[in-house]
Amino acid sequence: DTGVSQDPRHKITKRGQNVTFRCDPISEHNRLYWYRQTLGQGPEFLTYFQNEAQLEKSRLLSDRFSAERPKGSFSTLEIQRTEQGDSAMYLCASSLDPHRYEQYFGPGTRLTVT
Amino acid sequence: AQTVTQSQPEMSVQEAETVTLSCTYDTSESNYYLFWYKQPPSRQMILVIRQEAYKQQNATENRFSVNFQKAAKSFSLKISDSQLGDTAMYFCAFLDPTGNQFYFGTGTSLTVIP
């Protein structure tokens, strides 16, 4: 097992475009989390899945953001009509019940909106 | 809502010396988890150490140990025999009892000087 992977690692897009990121968790991890990290800040929780169900969403997740985990394995995070304020590192983490507090993080996708 | 405060944006330590990173938090919960994560430059977050709030004994992991003061809501990290590879951003994090959401501090950038 190679750990949590994320694709792409870097994305540069123009304001107004849509972008989609992918996260592949550690296999058999049933919980998957998305975080956003801006420069000089710690990660901020966006949303989490237990298997394919999205159980919690932060108020940071505006209606331009949508996340899916269709088969309880990989997840995608889509941002529509990107804004410059969306520029950040988007981190994915996974964990396995009952040790859900042991979250393993991926390398992140760095998004730059120009 | 939970908050995590790291009041030391930057710190440095001589190789082989000991350094302590501070963290305070605010919560009304009685049972929770606390963590220190390490984020090396351009690399992914790595769990350094965790502490369960119901445990009075301070956690230790090799050169890393914590000083957990539940009443004071303080959770400091001590790194002994500092090594060059310890250079990284260190984040203190709080996990609520549901295990669903992390709250991170703003981080402390630690530089180990040879």
Side-chain angles (χ1 to χ4, degrees), chain A residues 39-52:
Chain A
L39 203 61
Q41 299 295 318
E44 296 172 292
F45 171 82
L46 292 178
T47 188
Y48 105 93
F49 292 84
Q50 184 167 341
N51 300 311
E52 66 274 11

Side-chain angles (χ1 to χ4, degrees), chain A residues 18-37:
Chain A
N18 299 343
V19 293
T20 300
F21 311 140
R22 176 178 170 129
C23 170
D24 286 89
I26 294 173
S27 61
E28 299 182 355
H29 276 197
N30 61 323
R31 290 182 174 234
L32 188 147
Y33 307 80
W34 284 100
Y35 295 86
R36 182 177 73 182
Q37 185 178 19

Side-chain angles (χ1 to χ4, degrees), chain A residues 17-104:
Chain A
Q17 298 295 304
N18 299 343
V19 293
T20 300
F21 311 140
R22 176 178 170 129
C23 170
D24 286 89
I26 294 173
S27 61
E28 299 182 355
H29 276 197
N30 61 323
R31 290 182 174 234
L32 188 147
Y33 307 80
W34 284 100
Y35 295 86
R36 182 177 73 182
Q37 185 178 19
T38 53
L39 203 61
Q41 299 295 318
E44 296 172 292
F45 171 82
L46 292 178
T47 188
Y48 105 93
F49 292 84
Q50 184 167 341
N51 300 311
E52 66 274 11
Q54 187 174 15
L55 296 186
E56 195 162 339
K57 292 193 288 187
S58 161
R59 59 176 175 77
L60 295 174
L61 213 66
S62 75
D63 56 6
R64 295 186 298 106
F65 288 70
S66 62
E68 295 183 343
R69 194 182 183 199
K71 296 182 180 179
S73 56
F74 72 92
S75 175
T76 58
L77 178 68
E78 181 183 16
I79 309 174
Q80 296 182 328
R81 305 181 304 280
T82 52
E83 302 172 355
Q84 287 189 320
D86 297 331
S87 295
M89 177 76 86
Y90 290 84
L91 297 171
C92 176
S94 70
S95 66
L96 175 65
D97 282 328
H99 308 291
R100 56 185 182 275
Y101 46 78
E102 291 185 10
Q103 293 191 15
Y104 295 85

Side-chain angles (χ1 to χ4, degrees), chain B residues 9-26:
Chain B
E10 296 181 356
M11 294 191 71
S12 61
V13 61
Q14 291 290 141
E15 194 175 6
E17 296 295 307
T18 296
V19 64
T20 298
L21 281 55
S22 301
C23 173
T24 58
Y25 59 94
D26 189 24

